[in-house]
C-alpha cells in the first residue's frame, strides 16, 4: 500500500491546481437562471450543518454510508425533487458526479441511507427504497461517497436538492440517465433548490 500511496500522493502534487470547478456545478446551469442562490436549507443530522467535515464512516475510507439529509421550507407547488451530488474539487474538467437521484416524491423532506437501497426485481433494480430512481455516476454505482486523492487538500461535496414544479418526462431519458439528461429534463421546471456541503480530506500519515 505504501507504494500506491506514494504514487497517489505524487499525482496529487502534479494536479494540485486542478480544483475549484464550482462555477460548473449542476445548480449553476441554465435551468437555474432565476435561482442563482439557494432558496431553502438542507442539513445533515449525521454530519452537522453545511460546511462540516464528514466523519470517516460516511466516506469511502470507512463504511461509505449515505449521510442523512433533511430540508425544510421548500417552495409551494413542488411536484417532485431531484438530488445531484458532486465534487467540484476533483481534478477533472467538470465536477465529479457521486450520485444522481430523480423522481423523489414531493412529500419527501428527508433521505437516509436505507432509502438508496434498490428494490429487488424493479426495472433491473433501478427503483430505490425511498420511492425514487438513480442515474449514472462516475463509478457506475448507486452512490459513491467522498474519496479525494491523498494530500490533494480538502474537497467540497455538494449534496444539491432541486425542487421541481413539474415532473421530469422520464420517457425522454435513458434507463440510467446522465447528468446532462437530467439538466435537459428540468429546463423550465425548477422551483427552487438547496444544498448541503460536506468537506473531506485524505492525508498520507
Amino acid at each position: 500500500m505504501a507504494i500506491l500511496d506514494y504514487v497517489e500522493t505524487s499525482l496529487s502534487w502534479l494536479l494540485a491546481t486542478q480544483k475549484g470547478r464550482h462555477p460548473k456545478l449542476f445548480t449553476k446551469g441554465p435551468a437555474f437562471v432565476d435561482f442563482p442562490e439557494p432558496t431553502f436549507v438542507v442539513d445533515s443530522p449525521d454530519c452537522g450543518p453545511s460546511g462540516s467535515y464528514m466523519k470517516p464512516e460516511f466516506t469511502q475510507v470507512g463504511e461509505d454510508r449515505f449521510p442523512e439529509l433533511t430540508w425544510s421550507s421548500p417552495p409551494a407547488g413542488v411536484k417532485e425533487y431531484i438530488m445531484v451530488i458532486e465534487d467540484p474539487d476533483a481534478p477533472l474538467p467538470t465536477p465529479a458526479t457521486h450520485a444522481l437521484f430523480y423522481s423523489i416524491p414531493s412529500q419527501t423532506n428527508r433521505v437516509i441511507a436505507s432509502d438508496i437501497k434498490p428494490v429487488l426485481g424493479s426495472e433491473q433494480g433501478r427503483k430505490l427504497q425511498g420511492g425514487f430512481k438513480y442515474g449514472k455516476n462516475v463509478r457506475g454505482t448507486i452512490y459513491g461517497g467522498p474519496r479525494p486523492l491523498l494530500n490533494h487538500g480538502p474537497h467540497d461535496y455538494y449534496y444539491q436538492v432541486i425542487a421541481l414544479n413539474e415532473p421530469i418526462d422520464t420517457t425522454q431519458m435513458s434507463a440510467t440517465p446522465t447528468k446532462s439528461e437530467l439538466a435537459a429534463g428540468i429546463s423550465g421546471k425548477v422551483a427552487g433548490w438547496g444544498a448541503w456541503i460536506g468537506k473531506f480530506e485524505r492525508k498520507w500519515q
Side-chain angles (χ1 to χ4, degrees), residues 18-94:
Q18 301 301 306
K19 298 177 70 176
R21 312 299 191 202
H22 298 70
K24 296 183 178 181
L25 284 163
F26 188 82
T27 46
K28 299 299 183 183
F32 297 87
V33 64
D34 293 331
F35 302 97
E37 300 296 332
T39 59
F40 57 91
V41 176
V42 181
D43 282 314
S44 175
D46 285 328
C47 296
S50 185
S52 297
Y53 271 82
M54 299 178 72
K55 302 169 186 175
E57 58 261 41
F58 299 103
T59 75
Q60 293 182 48
V61 171
E63 301 168 19
D64 201 14
R65 185 154 54 94
F66 186 86
E68 179 182 353
L69 298 174
T70 62
W71 55 93
S72 57
S73 303
V78 175
K79 294 295 189 281
E80 66 179 28
Y81 296 94
I82 67 169
M83 185 183 296
V84 178
I85 303 169
E86 298 177 295
D87 173 9
D89 292 313
L92 298 169
T94 59

Side-chain angles (χ1 to χ4, degrees), residues 108-188:
T108 303
N109 62 3
R110 173 177 177 255
V111 174
I112 59 176
S114 60
D115 287 333
I116 67 169
K117 294 184 181 299
V119 175
L120 298 180
S122 64
E123 301 179 45
Q124 300 178 356
R126 279 186 288 272
K127 188 170 183 181
L128 304 176
Q129 296 285 350
F132 48 89
K133 298 180 180 181
Y134 69 94
K136 186 176 182 180
N137 70 359
V138 292
R139 298 179 63 200
T141 59
I142 295 174
Y143 168 75
R147 191 190 181 279
L149 287 171
L150 277 172
N151 287 6
H152 199 241
H155 281 214
D156 292 336
Y157 294 86
Y158 279 71
Y159 291 72
Q160 301 156 103
V161 179
I162 298 100
L164 304 179
N165 56 25
E166 186 180 333
I168 291 178
D169 183 0
T170 57
T171 65
Q172 301 300 311
M173 300 192 303
S174 58
T176 308
T178 64
K179 189 160 56 180
S180 295
E181 288 179 283
L182 282 181
I186 67 169
S187 180

